[in-house]
Amino acid sequence: MNHPSSAIPARIPHIASVNLMRGLVIVLMALDHVRWYFLDADFSPTDLSRTDSALFLTRWATHLCAPTFVFLAGTSAFLSAAHSTDRHQLAARLFTRGLWLVTLELTIVRFAWFFNLDYSQMDLQVIWALGWSMVVLAGLVYMPLWSIAVLGIGMIAAHNLLDGIRLEDFEMADGSLGWQGWLLSVLHIPRFPVVYPLIPWIGVMAAGYAFGPLMLTTSKTRKQLALAAGAVLIAAFVILRACNAYGDPSSWSTQETALFTLFSFLNTTKYPPSLLFLLVTLGAMFILLSVFERRHGLVEDFFITFGRVPLFFYVLHLYVIHGLVIVLGYAIKGDIDSFMTIPVFFPPWWGFSLPIVYLIWVAVTALLYPVCRWFAAVKSRHRGRWWTYYV
């Protein structure tokens, strides 16, 4: 199959389900970030020895965000250029947008997380992975579409074969990493400052790009394809997870209660995302895409607004959340300096219960809705301008 193809209509239809899905996950991502900044718990929500049901499910639901965001970025890349046969133009746009995202991660996004200029504190996260995945995709678009699909799926399916490799094996005598170790960290094994290694995120974006042509079918066909894909991925997850043999470095085990045994079954590895993590999250994404292929009401339109400007919302919500922390920290104890960093360094007295976290999340989302609606209208009025591709 050629791509982008002249057989595709010159005017690409607006696919509301994609924007709705992106809007839902970006709002869920805000919940995860509000939780990180405001929750009073000093342990991982997925630590089954300490967590509770509400906290675990809050964190687990937000696992949907990054895989969906990266996959649909690939799909959107195909759709954005589907009316053209000029691969050079598509590659150039992906390359420049990718570098822009990496630059954004290192500057504006990094400052939003830390509120300081001490670059000894640094986390390379999802925007970093998105950016470099786009840079790689800029090269992949010259390949046949089927080979992009094979590469993407193969990277997702096979990368857990690398789980036996240890960074410690690449340490120098003084404890630092050699260049091979740093390359391995950037590609697969998280180590400060790399939180999001690039494998398998590059594969996720490539698979999303290869999925693009299927989104240009009729709504009924899209619904059937998405439902079938979701069912296959969820079934594959259940079978592989039950075997406890391959697909995740951590096995599940029987817990004290049936509910927590289920949590153990669902508790897969995100950093880097294991095959099983991606099967269950992308499976859920496909099923939701199928559900979203229907008439939309006010609730759906609410999320579509965010889905039309996801990067704008992402950057803005980080500043709002961290800014609110500063305001409350000052109001409670007159303390600002302690919060000019990320939450792991916040003072021990800081934090609120999970219900308060949810209230703050709702307030932040409601506050940003009119701003995002305004900016979505601005983008719509200037559709086709070069700058709209970068925001």
Side-chain angles (χ1 to χ4, degrees), residues 100-138:
W100 159 243
L101 289 174
V102 172
T103 302
L104 199 67
E105 176 76 83
L106 295 173
T107 55
I108 296 173
V109 172
R110 188 231 161 253
F111 187 78
W113 286 114
F114 290 87
F115 272 15
N116 66 50
L117 296 176
D118 179 5
Y119 270 75
S120 66
Q121 299 179 1
M122 183 73 191
D123 286 334
L124 300 174
Q125 301 192 59
V126 66
I127 302 300
W128 149 277
L130 268 171
W132 286 119
S133 295
M134 282 188 182
V135 169
V136 174
L137 185 60

mmCIF file of all heavy atoms in Angstrom, residues 100-138:
data_model
loop_
_atom_site.group_PDB
_atom_site.id
_atom_site.type_symbol
_atom_site.label_atom_id
_atom_site.label_comp_id
_atom_site.label_asym_id
_atom_site.label_seq_id
_atom_site.Cartn_x
_atom_site.Cartn_y
_atom_site.Cartn_z
ATOM 1 N N TRP A 100 10.945 20.261 17.710
ATOM 2 C CA TRP A 100 10.260 21.290 18.493
ATOM 3 C C TRP A 100 9.760 20.709 19.813
ATOM 4 O O TRP A 100 9.911 21.332 20.876
ATOM 5 C CB TRP A 100 9.108 21.879 17.686
ATOM 6 C CG TRP A 100 8.051 22.564 18.490
ATOM 7 C CD1 TRP A 100 6.733 22.204 18.588
ATOM 8 C CD2 TRP A 100 8.185 23.739 19.314
ATOM 9 N NE1 TRP A 100 6.050 23.064 19.412
ATOM 10 C CE2 TRP A 100 6.923 24.022 19.876
ATOM 11 C CE3 TRP A 100 9.252 24.565 19.627
ATOM 12 C CZ2 TRP A 100 6.690 25.087 20.726
ATOM 13 C CZ3 TRP A 100 9.035 25.634 20.486
ATOM 14 C CH2 TRP A 100 7.767 25.892 21.015
ATOM 15 N N LEU A 101 9.211 19.497 19.783
ATOM 16 C CA LEU A 101 8.720 18.870 21.006
ATOM 17 C C LEU A 101 9.868 18.576 21.975
ATOM 18 O O LEU A 101 9.734 18.760 23.191
ATOM 19 C CB LEU A 101 7.953 17.586 20.677
ATOM 20 C CG LEU A 101 6.597 17.769 20.002
ATOM 21 C CD1 LEU A 101 6.012 16.419 19.604
ATOM 22 C CD2 LEU A 101 5.630 18.520 20.915
ATOM 23 N N VAL A 102 10.991 18.100 21.458
ATOM 24 C CA VAL A 102 12.150 17.850 22.319
ATOM 25 C C VAL A 102 12.616 19.154 22.962
ATOM 26 O O VAL A 102 12.908 19.209 24.165
ATOM 27 C CB VAL A 102 13.296 17.200 21.517
ATOM 28 C CG1 VAL A 102 14.562 17.116 22.365
ATOM 29 C CG2 VAL A 102 12.884 15.803 21.043
ATOM 30 N N THR A 103 12.685 20.215 22.165
ATOM 31 C CA THR A 103 13.069 21.533 22.698
ATOM 32 C C THR A 103 12.077 22.000 23.753
ATOM 33 O O THR A 103 12.470 22.540 24.809
ATOM 34 C CB THR A 103 13.147 22.561 21.557
ATOM 35 O OG1 THR A 103 14.080 22.109 20.577
ATOM 36 C CG2 THR A 103 13.572 23.923 22.076
ATOM 37 N N LEU A 104 10.803 21.788 23.492
ATOM 38 C CA LEU A 104 9.754 22.160 24.445
ATOM 39 C C LEU A 104 9.931 21.414 25.764
ATOM 40 O O LEU A 104 9.801 21.992 26.848
ATOM 41 C CB LEU A 104 8.381 21.848 23.835
ATOM 42 C CG LEU A 104 7.159 22.548 24.425
ATOM 43 C CD1 LEU A 104 7.208 24.038 24.152
ATOM 44 C CD2 LEU A 104 5.880 21.940 23.824
ATOM 45 N N GLU A 105 10.243 20.121 25.686
ATOM 46 C CA GLU A 105 10.463 19.317 26.892
ATOM 47 C C GLU A 105 11.621 19.863 27.714
ATOM 48 O O GLU A 105 11.553 19.925 28.947
ATOM 49 C CB GLU A 105 10.739 17.867 26.496
ATOM 50 C CG GLU A 105 11.079 16.932 27.641
ATOM 51 C CD GLU A 105 9.871 16.525 28.455
ATOM 52 O OE1 GLU A 105 9.159 15.585 28.060
ATOM 53 O OE2 GLU A 105 9.629 17.168 29.503
ATOM 54 N N LEU A 106 12.678 20.291 27.042
ATOM 55 C CA LEU A 106 13.880 20.745 27.732
ATOM 56 C C LEU A 106 13.760 22.156 28.300
ATOM 57 O O LEU A 106 14.595 22.570 29.105
ATOM 58 C CB LEU A 106 15.070 20.692 26.776
ATOM 59 C CG LEU A 106 15.489 19.301 26.287
ATOM 60 C CD1 LEU A 106 16.555 19.410 25.210
ATOM 61 C CD2 LEU A 106 15.970 18.438 27.441
ATOM 62 N N THR A 107 12.741 22.888 27.891
ATOM 63 C CA THR A 107 12.624 24.296 28.301
ATOM 64 C C THR A 107 11.297 24.565 29.007
ATOM 65 O O THR A 107 11.218 24.529 30.238
ATOM 66 C CB THR A 107 12.776 25.213 27.073
ATOM 67 O OG1 THR A 107 11.816 24.822 26.057
ATOM 68 C CG2 THR A 107 14.170 25.108 26.485
ATOM 69 N N ILE A 108 10.264 24.831 28.263
ATOM 70 C CA ILE A 108 8.987 25.267 28.830
ATOM 71 C C ILE A 108 8.350 24.184 29.698
ATOM 72 O O ILE A 108 7.844 24.454 30.792
ATOM 73 C CB ILE A 108 8.031 25.690 27.696
ATOM 74 C CG1 ILE A 108 8.610 26.916 26.966
ATOM 75 C CG2 ILE A 108 6.642 26.009 28.233
ATOM 76 C CD1 ILE A 108 7.845 27.320 25.728
ATOM 77 N N VAL A 109 8.357 22.936 29.230
ATOM 78 C CA VAL A 109 7.758 21.845 30.006
ATOM 79 C C VAL A 109 8.592 21.553 31.243
ATOM 80 O O VAL A 109 8.056 21.373 32.342
ATOM 81 C CB VAL A 109 7.596 20.589 29.128
ATOM 82 C CG1 VAL A 109 7.164 19.391 29.970
ATOM 83 C CG2 VAL A 109 6.564 20.839 28.021
ATOM 84 N N ARG A 110 9.915 21.508 31.083
ATOM 85 C CA ARG A 110 10.767 21.249 32.242
ATOM 86 C C ARG A 110 10.582 22.299 33.331
ATOM 87 O O ARG A 110 10.513 21.986 34.513
ATOM 88 C CB ARG A 110 12.237 21.227 31.794
ATOM 89 C CG ARG A 110 13.165 20.773 32.923
ATOM 90 C CD ARG A 110 14.308 21.753 33.097
ATOM 91 N NE ARG A 110 14.878 21.545 34.433
ATOM 92 C CZ ARG A 110 14.706 22.388 35.444
ATOM 93 N NH1 ARG A 110 14.012 23.505 35.277
ATOM 94 N NH2 ARG A 110 15.202 22.124 36.640
ATOM 95 N N PHE A 111 10.475 23.570 32.937
ATOM 96 C CA PHE A 111 10.272 24.622 33.930
ATOM 97 C C PHE A 111 8.921 24.472 34.626
ATOM 98 O O PHE A 111 8.798 24.727 35.826
ATOM 99 C CB PHE A 111 10.369 25.998 33.279
ATOM 100 C CG PHE A 111 10.338 27.124 34.278
ATOM 101 C CD1 PHE A 111 11.467 27.440 35.011
ATOM 102 C CD2 PHE A 111 9.171 27.838 34.509
ATOM 103 C CE1 PHE A 111 11.439 28.463 35.962
ATOM 104 C CE2 PHE A 111 9.127 28.859 35.451
ATOM 105 C CZ PHE A 111 10.267 29.171 36.180
ATOM 106 N N ALA A 112 7.898 24.037 33.897
ATOM 107 C CA ALA A 112 6.583 23.837 34.510
ATOM 108 C C ALA A 112 6.631 22.768 35.598
ATOM 109 O O ALA A 112 5.995 22.907 36.647
ATOM 110 C CB ALA A 112 5.561 23.450 33.440
ATOM 111 N N TRP A 113 7.397 21.710 35.369
ATOM 112 C CA TRP A 113 7.512 20.651 36.374
ATOM 113 C C TRP A 113 8.276 21.133 37.607
ATOM 114 O O TRP A 113 7.908 20.828 38.737
ATOM 115 C CB TRP A 113 8.252 19.446 35.787
ATOM 116 C CG TRP A 113 7.490 18.599 34.828
ATOM 117 C CD1 TRP A 113 7.752 18.432 33.506
ATOM 118 C CD2 TRP A 113 6.352 17.775 35.110
ATOM 119 N NE1 TRP A 113 6.839 17.559 32.941
ATOM 120 C CE2 TRP A 113 5.976 17.142 33.917
ATOM 121 C CE3 TRP A 113 5.609 17.517 36.266
ATOM 122 C CZ2 TRP A 113 4.895 16.274 33.825
ATOM 123 C CZ3 TRP A 113 4.530 16.644 36.179
ATOM 124 C CH2 TRP A 113 4.191 16.037 34.972
ATOM 125 N N PHE A 114 9.354 21.872 37.400
ATOM 126 C CA PHE A 114 10.297 22.157 38.484
ATOM 127 C C PHE A 114 10.192 23.569 39.054
ATOM 128 O O PHE A 114 10.563 23.795 40.205
ATOM 129 C CB PHE A 114 11.731 21.920 37.993
ATOM 130 C CG PHE A 114 12.070 20.478 37.768
ATOM 131 C CD1 PHE A 114 11.809 19.857 36.548
ATOM 132 C CD2 PHE A 114 12.640 19.728 38.771
ATOM 133 C CE1 PHE A 114 12.125 18.528 36.339
ATOM 134 C CE2 PHE A 114 12.953 18.392 38.579
ATOM 135 C CZ PHE A 114 12.694 17.793 37.352
ATOM 136 N N PHE A 115 9.774 24.536 38.240
ATOM 137 C CA PHE A 115 9.753 25.935 38.658
ATOM 138 C C PHE A 115 11.119 26.403 39.148
ATOM 139 O O PHE A 115 11.228 27.224 40.059
ATOM 140 C CB PHE A 115 8.695 26.173 39.740
ATOM 141 C CG PHE A 115 7.328 26.496 39.184
ATOM 142 C CD1 PHE A 115 7.006 26.279 37.854
ATOM 143 C CD2 PHE A 115 6.337 27.024 40.004
ATOM 144 C CE1 PHE A 115 5.750 26.562 37.348
ATOM 145 C CE2 PHE A 115 5.066 27.326 39.507
ATOM 146 C CZ PHE A 115 4.785 27.094 38.173
ATOM 147 N N ASN A 116 12.187 25.871 38.565
ATOM 148 C CA ASN A 116 13.529 26.360 38.851
ATOM 149 C C ASN A 116 14.397 26.136 37.616
ATOM 150 O O ASN A 116 13.982 25.477 36.660
ATOM 151 C CB ASN A 116 14.128 25.681 40.098
ATOM 152 C CG ASN A 116 14.375 24.192 39.896
ATOM 153 O OD1 ASN A 116 14.991 23.777 38.911
ATOM 154 N ND2 ASN A 116 13.897 23.380 40.824
ATOM 155 N N LEU A 117 15.593 26.680 37.640
ATOM 156 C CA LEU A 117 16.509 26.567 36.499
ATOM 157 C C LEU A 117 17.709 25.685 36.813
ATOM 158 O O LEU A 117 18.731 25.743 36.130
ATOM 159 C CB LEU A 117 16.979 27.963 36.062
ATOM 160 C CG LEU A 117 15.871 28.888 35.539
ATOM 161 C CD1 LEU A 117 16.440 30.271 35.233
ATOM 162 C CD2 LEU A 117 15.194 28.300 34.304
ATOM 163 N N ASP A 118 17.580 24.874 37.857
ATOM 164 C CA ASP A 118 18.652 23.959 38.241
ATOM 165 C C ASP A 118 18.544 22.696 37.379
ATOM 166 O O ASP A 118 17.764 21.791 37.680
ATOM 167 C CB ASP A 118 18.527 23.618 39.724
ATOM 168 C CG ASP A 118 19.605 22.653 40.183
ATOM 169 O OD1 ASP A 118 20.504 22.322 39.381
ATOM 170 O OD2 ASP A 118 19.539 22.197 41.343
ATOM 171 N N TYR A 119 19.347 22.645 36.321
ATOM 172 C CA TYR A 119 19.244 21.531 35.377
ATOM 173 C C TYR A 119 19.898 20.252 35.877
ATOM 174 O O TYR A 119 19.937 19.254 35.153
ATOM 175 C CB TYR A 119 19.795 21.942 34.006
ATOM 176 C CG TYR A 119 18.724 22.537 33.117
ATOM 177 C CD1 TYR A 119 18.251 23.822 33.344
ATOM 178 C CD2 TYR A 119 18.166 21.798 32.090
ATOM 179 C CE1 TYR A 119 17.264 24.370 32.547
ATOM 180 C CE2 TYR A 119 17.173 22.324 31.281
ATOM 181 C CZ TYR A 119 16.728 23.616 31.513
ATOM 182 O OH TYR A 119 15.732 24.142 30.728
ATOM 183 N N SER A 120 20.385 20.255 37.115
ATOM 184 C CA SER A 120 20.760 18.977 37.722
ATOM 185 C C SER A 120 19.503 18.196 38.086
ATOM 186 O O SER A 120 19.559 16.997 38.347
ATOM 187 C CB SER A 120 21.612 19.206 38.974
ATOM 188 O OG SER A 120 20.865 19.847 40.007
ATOM 189 N N GLN A 121 18.367 18.899 38.123
ATOM 190 C CA GLN A 121 17.056 18.272 38.267
ATOM 191 C C GLN A 121 16.411 18.254 36.880
ATOM 192 O O GLN A 121 16.141 19.300 36.304
ATOM 193 C CB GLN A 121 16.184 19.054 39.245
ATOM 194 C CG GLN A 121 16.746 19.148 40.643
ATOM 195 C CD GLN A 121 15.846 19.970 41.563
ATOM 196 O OE1 GLN A 121 14.807 20.464 41.181
ATOM 197 N NE2 GLN A 121 16.282 20.113 42.807
ATOM 198 N N MET A 122 16.177 17.057 36.361
ATOM 199 C CA MET A 122 15.701 16.954 34.992
ATOM 200 C C MET A 122 15.021 15.611 34.783
ATOM 201 O O MET A 122 15.555 14.578 35.186
ATOM 202 C CB MET A 122 16.881 17.083 34.019
ATOM 203 C CG MET A 122 16.499 17.070 32.568
ATOM 204 S SD MET A 122 15.698 18.619 32.102
ATOM 205 C CE MET A 122 15.075 18.208 30.490
ATOM 206 N N ASP A 123 13.850 15.614 34.189
ATOM 207 C CA ASP A 123 13.163 14.385 33.821
ATOM 208 C C ASP A 123 12.772 14.474 32.350
ATOM 209 O O ASP A 123 12.076 15.412 31.946
ATOM 210 C CB ASP A 123 11.893 14.173 34.666
ATOM 211 C CG ASP A 123 12.197 13.749 36.087
ATOM 212 O OD1 ASP A 123 13.277 13.160 36.298
ATOM 213 O OD2 ASP A 123 11.381 14.006 36.981
ATOM 214 N N LEU A 124 13.214 13.512 31.571
ATOM 215 C CA LEU A 124 12.851 13.456 30.145
ATOM 216 C C LEU A 124 11.661 12.520 30.024
ATOM 217 O O LEU A 124 11.802 11.297 30.140
ATOM 218 C CB LEU A 124 14.044 12.972 29.323
ATOM 219 C CG LEU A 124 15.292 13.857 29.434
ATOM 220 C CD1 LEU A 124 16.471 13.228 28.707
ATOM 221 C CD2 LEU A 124 15.017 15.260 28.915
ATOM 222 N N GLN A 125 10.495 13.111 29.764
ATOM 223 C CA GLN A 125 9.255 12.352 29.876
ATOM 224 C C GLN A 125 8.542 12.213 28.527
ATOM 225 O O GLN A 125 9.199 12.071 27.497
ATOM 226 C CB GLN A 125 8.357 13.001 30.930
ATOM 227 C CG GLN A 125 9.009 13.079 32.305
ATOM 228 C CD GLN A 125 8.040 13.454 33.397
ATOM 229 O OE1 GLN A 125 7.047 12.789 33.647
ATOM 230 N NE2 GLN A 125 8.324 14.554 34.064
ATOM 231 N N VAL A 126 7.207 12.243 28.551
ATOM 232 C CA VAL A 126 6.434 11.829 27.389
ATOM 233 C C VAL A 126 6.627 12.746 26.191
ATOM 234 O O VAL A 126 6.656 12.276 25.045
ATOM 235 C CB VAL A 126 4.937 11.693 27.758
ATOM 236 C CG1 VAL A 126 4.319 13.035 28.115
ATOM 237 C CG2 VAL A 126 4.164 11.021 26.638
ATOM 238 N N ILE A 127 6.764 14.054 26.400
ATOM 239 C CA ILE A 127 6.956 14.960 25.267
ATOM 240 C C ILE A 127 8.298 14.689 24.597
ATOM 241 O O ILE A 127 8.423 14.761 23.370
ATOM 242 C CB ILE A 127 6.842 16.429 25.718
ATOM 243 C CG1 ILE A 127 5.478 16.684 26.376
ATOM 244 C CG2 ILE A 127 7.026 17.366 24.535
ATOM 245 C CD1 ILE A 127 4.294 16.427 25.466
ATOM 246 N N TRP A 128 9.301 14.365 25.390
ATOM 247 C CA TRP A 128 10.606 13.952 24.869
ATOM 248 C C TRP A 128 10.441 12.713 23.985
ATOM 249 O O TRP A 128 10.957 12.670 22.857
ATOM 250 C CB TRP A 128 11.538 13.684 26.046
ATOM 251 C CG TRP A 128 12.595 12.638 25.893
ATOM 252 C CD1 TRP A 128 12.440 11.291 26.066
ATOM 253 C CD2 TRP A 128 13.978 12.844 25.566
ATOM 254 N NE1 TRP A 128 13.644 10.647 25.875
ATOM 255 C CE2 TRP A 128 14.597 11.575 25.560
ATOM 256 C CE3 TRP A 128 14.745 13.970 25.297
ATOM 257 C CZ2 TRP A 128 15.950 11.397 25.286
ATOM 258 C CZ3 TRP A 128 16.094 13.795 25.014
ATOM 259 C CH2 TRP A 128 16.686 12.536 25.015
ATOM 260 N N ALA A 129 9.747 11.690 24.487
ATOM 261 C CA ALA A 129 9.563 10.460 23.717
ATOM 262 C C ALA A 129 8.746 10.702 22.453
ATOM 263 O O ALA A 129 9.044 10.150 21.392
ATOM 264 C CB ALA A 129 8.890 9.399 24.589
ATOM 265 N N LEU A 130 7.706 11.541 22.567
ATOM 266 C CA LEU A 130 6.916 11.902 21.390
ATOM 267 C C LEU A 130 7.786 12.572 20.335
ATOM 268 O O LEU A 130 7.690 12.256 19.142
ATOM 269 C CB LEU A 130 5.790 12.856 21.797
ATOM 270 C CG LEU A 130 4.430 12.277 22.160
ATOM 271 C CD1 LEU A 130 3.552 13.382 22.743
ATOM 272 C CD2 LEU A 130 3.756 11.660 20.951
ATOM 273 N N GLY A 131 8.615 13.506 20.761
ATOM 274 C CA GLY A 131 9.443 14.250 19.826
ATOM 275 C C GLY A 131 10.398 13.361 19.055
ATOM 276 O O GLY A 131 10.451 13.394 17.819
ATOM 277 N N TRP A 132 11.163 12.530 19.771
ATOM 278 C CA TRP A 132 12.121 11.668 19.088
ATOM 279 C C TRP A 132 11.425 10.590 18.268
ATOM 280 O O TRP A 132 11.947 10.178 17.216
ATOM 281 C CB TRP A 132 13.100 11.054 20.080
ATOM 282 C CG TRP A 132 14.114 12.031 20.582
ATOM 283 C CD1 TRP A 132 14.308 12.432 21.875
ATOM 284 C CD2 TRP A 132 15.076 12.752 19.799
ATOM 285 N NE1 TRP A 132 15.318 13.358 21.951
ATOM 286 C CE2 TRP A 132 15.816 13.578 20.693
ATOM 287 C CE3 TRP A 132 15.382 12.798 18.440
ATOM 288 C CZ2 TRP A 132 16.832 14.420 20.262
ATOM 289 C CZ3 TRP A 132 16.400 13.641 18.011
ATOM 290 C CH2 TRP A 132 17.114 14.431 18.904
ATOM 291 N N SER A 133 10.258 10.147 18.708
ATOM 292 C CA SER A 133 9.500 9.176 17.908
ATOM 293 C C SER A 133 9.069 9.797 16.586
ATOM 294 O O SER A 133 9.073 9.131 15.539
ATOM 295 C CB SER A 133 8.279 8.688 18.690
ATOM 296 O OG SER A 133 8.667 7.965 19.843
ATOM 297 N N MET A 134 8.703 11.082 16.601
ATOM 298 C CA MET A 134 8.348 11.770 15.359
ATOM 299 C C MET A 134 9.555 11.928 14.448
ATOM 300 O O MET A 134 9.447 11.796 13.228
ATOM 301 C CB MET A 134 7.739 13.135 15.661
ATOM 302 C CG MET A 134 6.301 13.082 16.112
ATOM 303 S SD MET A 134 5.578 14.731 16.224
ATOM 304 C CE MET A 134 3.937 14.290 16.816
ATOM 305 N N VAL A 135 10.717 12.214 15.041
ATOM 306 C CA VAL A 135 11.934 12.334 14.239
ATOM 307 C C VAL A 135 12.228 11.016 13.524
ATOM 308 O O VAL A 135 12.561 10.987 12.329
ATOM 309 C CB VAL A 135 13.122 12.761 15.127
ATOM 310 C CG1 VAL A 135 14.440 12.638 14.365
ATOM 311 C CG2 VAL A 135 12.930 14.187 15.628
ATOM 312 N N VAL A 136 12.094 9.905 14.242
ATOM 313 C CA VAL A 136 12.313 8.594 13.629
ATOM 314 C C VAL A 136 11.248 8.309 12.574
ATOM 315 O O VAL A 136 11.551 7.805 11.486
ATOM 316 C CB VAL A 136 12.320 7.490 14.707
ATOM 317 C CG1 VAL A 136 12.401 6.104 14.058
ATOM 318 C CG2 VAL A 136 13.487 7.694 15.661
ATOM 319 N N LEU A 137 9.981 8.655 12.890
ATOM 320 C CA LEU A 137 8.903 8.428 11.936
ATOM 321 C C LEU A 137 9.134 9.217 10.656
ATOM 322 O O LEU A 137 8.734 8.774 9.566
ATOM 323 C CB LEU A 137 7.558 8.810 12.559
ATOM 324 C CG LEU A 137 6.296 8.522 11.731
ATOM 325 C CD1 LEU A 137 6.180 7.037 11.424
ATOM 326 C CD2 LEU A 137 5.051 9.020 12.454
ATOM 327 N N ALA A 138 9.796 10.373 10.753
ATOM 328 C CA ALA A 138 10.107 11.166 9.563
ATOM 329 C C ALA A 138 10.936 10.358 8.565
ATOM 330 O O ALA A 138 10.811 10.533 7.350
ATOM 331 C CB ALA A 138 10.851 12.441 9.958
#
